[in-house]
Structures are given as structure tokens and as C-alpha cells.
Amino acid sequence: MIVAQDLVVEIGGKTIINRICLQLARGTVTAIVGPNGSGKSVLMRCLAGSQPVASGRVELDGKPLAAYSLAQLACKRAVLTQFFPVGFPFTALEIVMMGRNPYANSCCVAHNEHIALQALAAVDAVHLQQRIFPTLSGGEQQRVQLARVLAQLWEQNGACLFLDEPTSALDIKHQHQFLEDVRQLAANRNFAVCMIVHDLMLVMRYADRVALLKNGSLVAWGKTAAVIDPDAIEYVFEVPAGLVLPAKRF
Amino acid sequence: MQEPKTGMSFVTKRTTVLFALGGSLLLGMIVAASIGAMPISPLSMLQGDLSAGHQAVLATIRLPRVVLTVLVGAALAVSGAAMQGLFRNPLADPGLIGISSGAALAVAVVIVVAGPASGVFGLYGLSIAAFAGGMITCMVIFRIARISSKAASVAYMLLAGIAINALAGAATGFLTFVSDDQQLRTLTFWTMGSLGQALWPLIAVVASVVIPAVILLICNARQLNIMLLGEQEAQHLGVNSERLKKLIVVCTALSVGAAVAASGIIAFVGLIVPHLIRLAIGPDHRILLPASALAGAVLLLAADTVARTIVAPAEMPVGIVTSLIGGPFFLWFFVRQSNQMETA
């Protein structure tokens, strides 16, 4: 379980995250939702341990994140960021194999490669394995990177998975396929999943809990059905709720 | 063009490539040692059947030069490959963060301001100056990159390097401007590179710096691969990217500093060799780094052999030859590669 208490982040003198308390429980999928620039990615980086905080603390299983070594953390949590600036002609399989880096000394190459291929299969991308990564389309690149993150936690139980807009470039079929996989990971392997997703339909379908952010503050935090409510959505996104929520809710 | 890599495992591929390059390096060393003003037959060299004169030429002139060339070629090529990986830019080379220009400035200062010296400093003065210049530049760049943020970011190192390059270039230019004819000639020749300085004591020093640095870089090849995903991604995958960045910059600065100290500035090897290897076998640093070391040594051996024989008894600066051989070859390879890409 990841517990964040009174997180404050300041970047360039501006408060980006303002006193946020949050828990990511194992076995649940938590979605961070909010408008552009509301601090979603920064909050996720805090929870993943890659963002220095001005005050407050983040603990994983009762120990502060800083108390873990990079190698220990790499076996307990994986992070998918939004951009993939890979300029060198690695193949897709080589990229996914990088996800096995934390296990390079403990598992043999054949075993790691086997896992990498399974991870590619999980995102429906086995056929891309020998393609050159920078030449893939945006959606294909995203699937390969998703496979890398899955490969990193492949044989782990109770790990944490952080996904920053994992479905932004995927077609509809792969969006649902991937998020269904993620939900299975949470249910069957007791993962704590934390993802940033803009599509509220996907959030309502796949997230157990929602953290609603506006201007760096937590507006609401709790079970999806309770948080995604027309008034809160209108307040946070400044659009009529009817535009973004399914009609049957009204 | 898609390489059918599935049939060949990583280990087989690495062994094949490294054996092939290692073989050509051995062959190149024997050929380079046999060619010169006094030709020595490679066959009798291998049989150990040599006259006293031949032995003397081999031990005091040819072999030291061949060994130094191999060391310098390997140092430049590996450093180039590591820099390109670190800066995630295939156009980077050790000159980019100003190490070579810092070395050049220090040499210019010694030639123009200090003038000719005697004794040990007379023999090794330029080498010592070049090495010190390179190291000081490296430290300055680290300092500047750290002022702007707590961690030395790659982008700031690059910008600092460009500024240092310009500054050192201006200072060297000024010293060139105020130098007399003899100083100017020494300086110009130094900046075009030469491997004629090969003496065993110098080689011992260069080897003791270059070999550990190159081995250390090769040992960190897997981590360097991960860095290409991005610094933050590498951290998430358990790579201490701060430590790795420092290690790479220090190792390249040491080996380039030593190479430049021994042979002046030899252009192009650090840029072109990693490219050729990458085009041929892919970007994986676990193969790229050792293969670049071997290929860099082979290329520089070929270039130096041409440089010292083509206008014999005079000697052409080897930097001219590396650019003359390397440029067209690189273009040909590149055009061939992109043609294959289009037809596939």
C-alpha cells in the first residue's frame, strides 16, 4: 500500500501540489482525473518516488520511498510516462527486454526473453517484435512501452503500476483490452494500479477509485461512483456534465 | 530492410562480430608493422626469423607506433559511442563537451607562452598539458551543469560544452594570432594529429589510463542502453542515472584526454566508427562498445599506415587521412543503407 501524506510540491516558486493525502491500496485501480495542468503527472511522479517534494511524505508498506534502493523499487513498481524519446534503432523486443533490467543478474536471458514475448502478447504486439521502435506508429510505440512496463513486474505480486495516460494513442479495441488486463492484474495479482486517464467513460468502467484534481488540490477522492458526480465534474472541468457523462446517469 | 535476427541469439551475434573484428585487428597490426621505409616480411615476423636491424626497427619504431595507434583508435571510438549514447544524439562525439578544445587550448598555451622546454617536460610537456586541459574542461562543465540544477542534467552539460568550446576556440585563436612562425607550425601540426610520438614510456601511461576506462565503459553498457529510454525511465528501472552519467563523462574525458595527449587531435574516428557499427549491427551498447573499440583501432591503423607511407619520407598528419578515408566511406555506407531501407 502506498500512503501519501500532506504532499506539497513547488516548482519554480509555484505550488503545483497542495497538501494532498491519498492511499493506493493493493487490488484496486485508482484513476487520477483532472484538467490539463492540474498536477496529475506531478502527483503520480510523487507517488512513484521520482519527484522531490517540498513537504509531506510518501510511504510504501510503512517505509518512506527514499528508504528503498533504486534496484528494490524497480522490482516493486513500474512507471509508464507519456513520452518515448528513443532516438536509436532498437527493436521493439529490445525495448521490452529493457523492462527486465532489474532481473538481468537474477534471471537468465532466455527466461527474460520468454517474459518479454509474453508481455508483448498481452498488448497484442508480438508481430512487432523485430520492428525498429522509432519507426512504429504512436499507438504501436505505446503498446510496446506498455509491454515493457508489464515485463518489469511480470512475476511479481502486489506490485504498484503507474500509468500516465496509457491509452492516449490506442485505438478503441486496444484501449479496452489493455485496461481490462490492468484490472485483471489488480484483481488476480493484487497490484495497486494508479493511472491518469482523460476519458471518463473508461474511468467509470475500469477504475475502482478516483482522485479528482483541480489546481493542485484534491477536490474529491473515493469510490468511482461517488466521485464522478455531475456537480463535481461541472466544477472541475467547467463543462456541462451532460457533455461528458453517459445520459443514463441523469 | 529487416534483419532476420531471430535465427541468431545475442551471444552468437556478439561472439561472431567481436571475433571478426578482433581477427582484422590482429591482421592489421601485422601488416602495419611490416610496412614502412624498411619493409619487414610478415612471414618472417611471425616465425621470429629476423635480422638484428629488423628487430631494432620493430621494437623501437614500428611496434610502439602500432600499439599507440590501437590504443588511441579504441579510446576515441569507444568514447564517441558512449557520448552518443549519453546525449541520446548520434551526432555527439568527445569534442562536443569541449574536452578536445580544452586540451588544444592548454597545448597552445604551452607552445606559445611557455615556449620550448628541456628535459622530461620538453619531451612530454604537450602531452601533460593536453591531458590537464581536458580534465579541467571536464570539471568546469560538471560545475556549470550543477549550478543550474541540483543534478547535472545532460542538456545543461551539452550547452556548457558548446560554450566552453567557443571560449576555448577563441582563446586558442588568439594564441595562434600572436604566435611566431615556428610556434604556429607546431600548433597547426598538433591540431591535425600525429602518432609519431610513440615511445614506450608514453604508451605505458596512455595504456594505464585508456584500458581501465574502456573496460569500465563496456561493463556499464547495459545500463547505458536503459539510459536511452530517458533518464527518468532509467531510474524507474533501477539504474542510478546520476552515477552513470558521471562515470561515462569521467571515463570518456580520461581516455580522450590520454589519446589527445599522445597524438594531438584526430578527427572523425569518434564520430564515424560507432555509426558504422550501429548501422551494421544495431544500437545495443553491449556489442556496440567493444566492437567500436576494435573497429576504431583498425580504422586508425589503416589511416596511420597510409599517413606515414604515402608521402614518404615525409609524413602526412593522420587527422587528414582519417577524414579523407572516413568521409566518403561513411557517405557510401549511409547511401547504401538508406537505399536498402527504401527497397525493403
Side-chain angles (χ1 to χ4, degrees):
Chain A
M1 170 132 125
I2 289 187
V3 180
Q5 260 180 339
D6 285 326
L7 281 183
V8 177
V9 175
E10 285 166 2
I11 298 174
K14 190 172 180 291
T15 305
I16 305 294
I17 296 291
N18 189 13
R19 300 181 66 83
I20 287 186
C21 299
L22 200 65
Q23 288 114 45
L24 303 178
R26 293 218 164 84
T28 63
V29 176
T30 305
I32 302 178
V33 176
N36 298 145
S38 57
K40 302 184 295 294
S41 296
V42 176
L43 175 61
M44 181 176 274
R45 283 208 297 273
C46 291
L47 298 171
S50 48
Q51 170 75 48
V53 294
S55 72
R57 61 176 190 273
V58 184
E59 289 179 351
L60 170 61
D61 297 332
K63 255 169 59 176
L65 280 180
Y68 294 88
S69 72
L70 283 175
Q72 283 172 328
L73 272 184
C75 300
K76 285 178 182 291
R77 64 102 177 81
V79 186
L80 179 79
T81 44
Q82 275 187 64
F83 304 104
F84 321 117
V86 179
F88 286 88
F90 284 104
T91 63
L93 183 61
E94 283 172 327
I95 295 282
V96 181
M97 277 295 276
M98 290 182 190
R100 296 302 293 169
N101 180 59
Y103 314 94
N105 298 321
S106 56
C107 298
C108 67
V109 177
H111 182 66
N112 282 333
E113 205 162 280
H114 179 66
I115 287 174
L117 284 173
Q118 281 182 297
L120 274 171
V123 294
D124 201 11
V126 180
H127 62 287
L128 301 177
Q129 57 171 297
Q130 293 303 327
R131 295 273 303 278
I132 304 294
F133 183 80
T135 67
L136 296 176
S137 78
E140 288 172 329
Q141 289 193 356
Q142 193 166 34
R143 269 149 66 199
V144 170
Q145 293 282 357
L146 287 169
R148 167 176 71 78
V149 175
L150 292 180
Q152 188 183 344
L153 300 175
W154 197 256
E155 286 170 327
Q156 303 291 338
N157 282 305
C160 305
L161 187 56
F162 293 94
L163 306 164
D164 194 345
E165 298 194 29
T167 55
S168 57
L170 300 189
D171 58 48
I172 298 166
K173 171 188 152 195
H174 287 111
Q175 286 183 6
H176 285 278
Q177 191 183 22
F178 177 72
L179 290 178
E180 184 55 42
D181 283 352
V182 165
R183 192 161 65 177
Q184 295 292 329
L185 282 174
N188 302 336
R189 302 248 303 281
N190 209 22
F191 272 31
V193 180
C194 174
M195 59 184 189
I196 295 172
V197 177
H198 277 297
D199 186 336
L200 290 180
M201 301 293 185
L202 292 176
V203 170
M204 283 171 12
R205 191 175 176 91
Y206 294 104
D208 303 305
R209 291 169 164 268
V210 173
L212 201 54
L213 242 60
K214 185 178 171 116
N215 295 331
S217 299
L218 202 56
V219 174
W221 146 245
K223 289 216 183 328
T224 306
V227 173
I228 303 287
D229 116 299
D231 293 339
I233 295 303
E234 279 183 16
Y235 167 67
V236 167
F237 290 100
E238 295 165 8
V239 293
L243 216 58
V244 288
L245 294 177
K248 67 175 167 52
R249 289 180 56 89
F250 298 96
Chain B
M1 185 196 70
Q2 196 64 59
E3 291 254 330
K5 283 180 199 151
T6 31
M8 212 188 217
S9 81
F10 168 73
V11 181
T12 337
K13 187 170 144 192
R14 184 162 68 172
T15 320
T16 319
V17 169
L18 294 187
F19 260 97
L21 283 171
S24 11
L25 179 57
L26 266 178
L27 201 72
M29 287 172 80
I30 293 170
V31 170
S34 71
I35 297 176
M38 185 195 268
I40 305 172
S41 132
L43 214 63
S44 53
M45 208 191 313
L46 288 177
Q47 287 164 345
D49 170 29
L50 292 169
S51 71
H54 279 169
Q55 275 180 10
V57 168
L58 211 54
T60 57
I61 300 173
R62 298 276 167 79
L63 270 186
R65 187 159 186 156
V66 165
V67 172
L68 182 68
T69 308
V70 167
L71 283 172
V72 169
L76 292 177
V78 170
S79 305
M83 281 280 140
Q84 289 166 12
L86 178 66
F87 289 113
R88 266 174 270 142
N89 183 342
L91 289 179
D93 83 338
L96 193 68
I97 61 167
I99 296 168
S100 330
S101 46
L105 175 58
V107 165
V109 168
V110 170
I111 291 174
V112 177
V113 179
S118 56
V120 179
F121 197 77
L123 197 54
Y124 296 116
L126 293 189
S127 303
I128 296 168
F131 190 73
M135 291 305 105
I136 292 169
T137 317
C138 175
M139 283 190 292
V140 169
I141 284 165
F142 259 118
R143 266 292 162 82
I144 294 175
R146 278 186 166 279
I147 291 170
S148 37
S149 62
K150 264 183 271 172
S153 103
V154 163
Y156 280 121
M157 272 202 272
L158 201 62
L159 291 175
I162 289 167
I164 298 276
N165 257 331
L167 216 64
T172 311
F174 177 73
L175 287 171
T176 313
F177 174 67
V178 299
S179 63
D180 62 33
D181 282 359
Q182 181 53 40
Q183 290 167 342
L184 183 63
R185 199 171 159 75
T186 317
L187 195 58
T188 312
F189 268 88
W190 188 86
T191 53
M192 286 191 291
S194 160
L195 291 148
Q197 287 265 313
L199 295 167
W200 286 117
L202 178 71
I203 292 170
V205 175
V206 171
S208 65
V209 174
V210 166
I211 292 174
V214 166
I215 290 177
L216 214 55
L217 284 175
I218 291 175
C219 287
N220 283 280
R222 184 164 49 81
Q223 270 91 327
L224 189 52
N225 279 346
I226 312 282
M227 277 287 272
L228 293 182
L229 285 176
E231 282 179 56
Q232 211 164 60
E233 280 71 14
Q235 293 245 330
H236 292 148
L237 282 162
V239 174
N240 188 341
S241 46
E242 275 312 302
R243 197 192 126 268
L244 188 66
K245 269 186 290 188
K246 264 185 224 150
L247 184 119
I248 289 170
V249 171
V250 170
C251 282
T252 49
L254 282 172
S255 45
V256 171
V260 170
S263 61
I265 292 177
I266 298 176
F268 227 50
V269 177
L271 181 66
I272 194 173
V273 172
H275 262 280
L276 290 179
I277 304 290
R278 209 178 281 118
L279 283 171
I281 59 172
D284 188 335
H285 285 93
R286 290 171 297 173
I287 307 184
L288 181 65
L289 291 185
S292 292
L294 294 171
V298 173
L299 178 76
L300 197 55
L301 260 183
D304 184 53
T305 308
V306 171
R308 67 189 166 83
T309 50
I310 197 164
V311 289
E315 205 175 277
M316 200 193 265
V318 68
I320 296 178
V321 183
T322 50
S323 301
L324 267 182
I325 302 180
F329 184 63
F330 184 60
L331 275 179
W332 167 76
F333 204 90
F334 183 69
V335 168
R336 197 191 68 143
Q337 192 77 9
S338 36
N339 279 346
Q340 279 173 337
M341 289 273 214
E342 274 163 31
T343 51

